Amino acid sequence: MRRAVAVRLSALLAAGALTAATGVALSTTTASAAAGGVTGYATQNGGTTGGAGGQTVRATTGTAIHQALCSRASSSTPITIQVEGTINHGNTAKVSGSSCNTAAGVIELKQISNVTIVGVGNGAVFDQLGIHIRESRNIIIQNVTVRNVKKSGSPTSNGGDAIGMESGVRNVWVDHVTLEASGGESEGYDGLFDMKDNTQYVTLSYSILRNSGRGGLIGSSESDTSNGYVTFHHNLYENIDSRAPLLRGGIAHMYNNHYKRLNESGINSRAGARAKVDNNYFEDSKDVLGTFYTDAAGYWQVSGNVFDNVTWSSRSGDHNPAGPNPTSNTSVSIPYGFTLDGANCVPNVVAQTAGAGKGLKVSDGSCTPQSPDPTDPGPTDPGEPTDPGPTDPPAGTNLSLGAGADGSSKASGTSYGNVVDGNTGTYWSPSGSTGSVSVKWGSATTVSKVNIRLAFGSGTIGAYRLLNHDTGAVLASGSGAGTVSFSPASLKKITLEITNASGTPRIAEFETYAS
């Protein structure tokens, strides 16, 4: 049995013992996320739903990914892009269009929103080619591998980051990915997961970061402190020299991560940053927490961590490790719900769940990995490419925008108005599995088509009726979400009545059209 050089923290929290208070940001989260659903800071600021409710397409080249983005009706039209195969410089070209801003030799998610990229089938590998997210919001990247992306100036380069975000990015969830390099900066590699220039509300979960000089950073310099609200949980950092991550300003929450062979330093909190570090397992590593390579101090709140064969350097100059007996020097309030696995079981749980190709398995808070909920739109291989055309937005004006809304009892934290606000990141849910929501106008309006969009993590609508609320007439009935047409009706109020469902439906938008 390995003997720890540093003192183990003895007050390990029992699995599931801590549940943080519910937040008061733009959306309210439940005490714990559904298995496989978005977690952490990406649930805040309206939530992160990616391409939920939109068209699903298949891509086997980088050019096809760009083409899918450029073929949308607008830069915010939701889309899920299922990726299979190897994406590289040879098959990634620039594609032009009014709904995209792409570039050759990199997957460019620039000035867009409401996009999911998910690996399916035999898997998706981005080889020597990274993913850029610029001036964008509501993005999900799931179940992919990104490897050996080199720095600017090399023959195979996208600026050096496996996944990089900058310039006003909001609400990104990166989940079950594998990010890896084959060396450090001297070999031409840079960061695996970087956030710069006002990037906020990001979660990295159930992922592997390995074999790199730099794990990632939040803030490109001591003056770039507009980033933050980032959650890292159930990730494996293995054979990383430093930046696991580097945090400049802002707030980050690290829980239930397994850090193995951090060779020079680990969580580097500096320039006023505050890190909440809960129930992580640090193993065979050096200086895993502190303020390093600067005299601009950062801060941390620690609880329940295990330090297994961790060595600590002496404090001197700009090198200030938190150990050998780390104690909190700040407090951090977390606005979302979360449940902790006990730190002792973290290596085992992370080994079974983290990275691409693990079936999106997650932890249930009691050290037992489980598969995602069946209602989650996970990246299972659908066989043939899926193209649910009816969920594409119909042509014409969405008459619901600016209209009123009401309905039956709603679930806590939801609003009737969320179905008419044009934002797929917000939603209404009934208080149970069935209920109704209505769109209403001050004067008679002719409607002949509706489009129902579900939010990410929604239950399935088993049966519904569309009613002319003025007369009680049934305009249409069916199951699921998407677009339905019916004979034109002049009415002041139209009602979606959900009569059967699996799970709790989340209605993101109740769109109405004249034709």
Side-chain angles (χ1 to χ4, degrees):
M1 179 176 178
R2 201 182 286 120
R3 183 178 179 181
V5 174
V7 177
R8 292 177 185 259
L9 293 187
S10 60
L12 298 178
L13 293 178
L18 177 61
T19 302
T22 301
V24 292
L26 296 185
S27 70
T28 302
T29 60
T30 56
S32 60
V38 63
T39 52
Y41 272 114
T43 65
Q44 305 296 286
N45 191 44
T48 304
T49 59
Q55 185 182 22
T56 299
V57 300
R58 181 71 69 94
T60 58
T61 68
T63 303
I65 294 173
H66 286 162
Q67 185 63 56
L69 296 172
C70 295
S71 298
R72 297 182 297 163
S74 72
S75 62
S76 62
T77 301
I79 189 170
T80 294
I81 305 172
Q82 297 178 333
V83 183
E84 184 174 17
T86 300
I87 311 300
N88 55 37
H89 285 256
N91 63 33
T92 303
K94 174 181 174 68
V95 178
S96 298
S98 60
S99 62
C100 63
N101 189 347
T102 71
V106 60
I107 299 303
E108 190 85 320
L109 308 181
K110 184 175 182 180
Q111 297 168 345
I112 62 174
S113 60
N114 309 327
V115 173
T116 294
I117 294 178
V118 57
V120 298
N122 293 320
V125 176
F126 294 79
D127 184 32
Q128 303 182 72
L129 178 146
I131 300 174
H132 275 180
I133 305 174
R134 305 286 188 268
E135 303 171 64
S136 296
R137 65 187 305 129
N138 195 24
I139 307 293
I140 295 174
I141 300 172
Q142 197 170 44
N143 200 43
V144 304
T145 294
V146 186
R147 67 189 184 196
N148 291 333
V149 181
K150 289 202 169 183
K151 295 174 66 175
S152 299
S154 69
T156 53
S157 165
N158 82 318
D161 301 332
I163 295 179
M165 294 161 268
E166 62 181 88
S167 302
V169 173
R170 292 290 185 277
N171 290 88
V172 177
W173 180 34
V174 179
D175 177 66
H176 285 90
V177 304
T178 298
L179 309 177
E180 55 191 3
S182 295
E185 185 177 15
S186 61
E187 288 79 30
Y189 303 98
D190 199 354
L192 295 177
F193 194 72
D194 282 10
M195 291 154 277
K196 311 170 187 175
D197 189 18
N198 195 22
T199 293
Q200 298 180 359
Y201 301 105
V202 176
T203 295
L204 176 66
S205 56
Y206 298 101
S207 295
I208 295 173
L209 298 87
R210 65 187 173 200
N211 301 334
S212 177
R214 296 171 171 176
L217 57 76
I218 305 173
S220 60
S221 68
E222 307 294 71
S223 61
D224 183 18
T225 57
S226 60
N227 310 279
Y229 308 117
V230 183
T231 301
F232 302 82
H233 75 88
H234 293 92
N235 303 300
L236 170 65
Y237 285 78
E238 183 175 21
N239 192 27
I240 302 290
D241 289 341
S242 63
R243 302 185 180 182
L246 164 59
L247 174 63
R248 294 176 167 119
I251 294 174
H253 186 197
M254 298 85 170
Y255 71 91
N256 286 152
N257 300 291
H258 184 197
Y259 301 91
K260 187 175 182 180
R261 285 190 291 148
L262 303 182
N263 302 315
E264 297 175 10
S265 61
I267 300 170
N268 185 354
S269 180
R270 50 201 273 190
R274 291 187 295 148
K276 183 170 173 58
V277 185
D278 296 324
N279 283 36
N280 301 282
Y281 196 103
F282 299 92
E283 182 179 8
D284 296 342
S285 297
K286 177 183 178 181
D287 291 341
V288 297
L289 174 65
T291 296
F292 307 108
Y293 321 118
T294 182
D295 58 3
Y299 308 95
W300 45 84
Q301 179 180 350
V302 293
S303 177
N305 302 287
V306 168
F307 301 92
D308 186 351
N309 197 36
V310 171
T311 59
W312 300 93
S313 302
S314 299
R315 297 183 182 183
S316 64
D318 62 0
H319 193 82
N320 291 281
N325 184 24
T327 57
S328 301
N329 56 18
T330 191
S331 61
V332 181
S333 177
I334 300 300
Y336 52 81
F338 63 101
T339 303
L340 293 171
D341 286 306
N344 276 322
C345 73
V346 163
N348 180 57
V349 168
V350 169
Q352 295 183 65
T353 58
K358 295 291 182 65
L360 296 187
K361 289 184 178 180
V362 297
S363 168
D364 64 356
S366 63
C367 300
T368 304
Q370 61 178 346
S371 297
D373 287 346
T375 55
D376 275 346
T380 54
D381 185 1
E384 296 301 317
T386 302
D387 183 5
T391 62
D392 283 347
T397 301
N398 175 11
L399 303 174
S400 298
L401 297 178
D406 60 24
S408 64
S409 298
K410 58 183 182 292
S412 175
T414 70
S415 171
Y416 305 122
N418 288 340
V419 304
V420 295
D421 63 1
N423 180 4
T424 57
T426 63
Y427 59 87
W428 164 86
S429 284
S431 57
S433 59
T434 62
S436 63
V437 64
S438 303
V439 178
K440 57 186 180 180
W441 299 269
S443 57
T445 300
T446 299
V447 178
S448 65
K449 185 179 293 185
V450 304
N451 187 29
I452 303 301
R453 295 183 179 274
L454 298 180
F456 184 83
S458 172
T460 302
I461 299 176
Y464 70 82
R465 300 193 305 168
L466 284 170
L467 305 176
N468 180 335
H469 197 88
D470 301 346
T471 65
V474 177
L475 303 172
S477 60
S479 63
T483 303
V484 59
S485 300
F486 44 86
S487 298
S490 179
L491 43 76
K492 290 186 178 181
K493 185 174 180 179
I494 185 170
T495 297
L496 170 67
E497 183 182 47
I498 300 170
T499 58
N500 179 267
S502 174
T504 301
R506 296 179 176 181
I507 309 301
E509 292 296 299
F510 183 3
E511 299 174 352
T512 54
Y513 297 86
S515 61

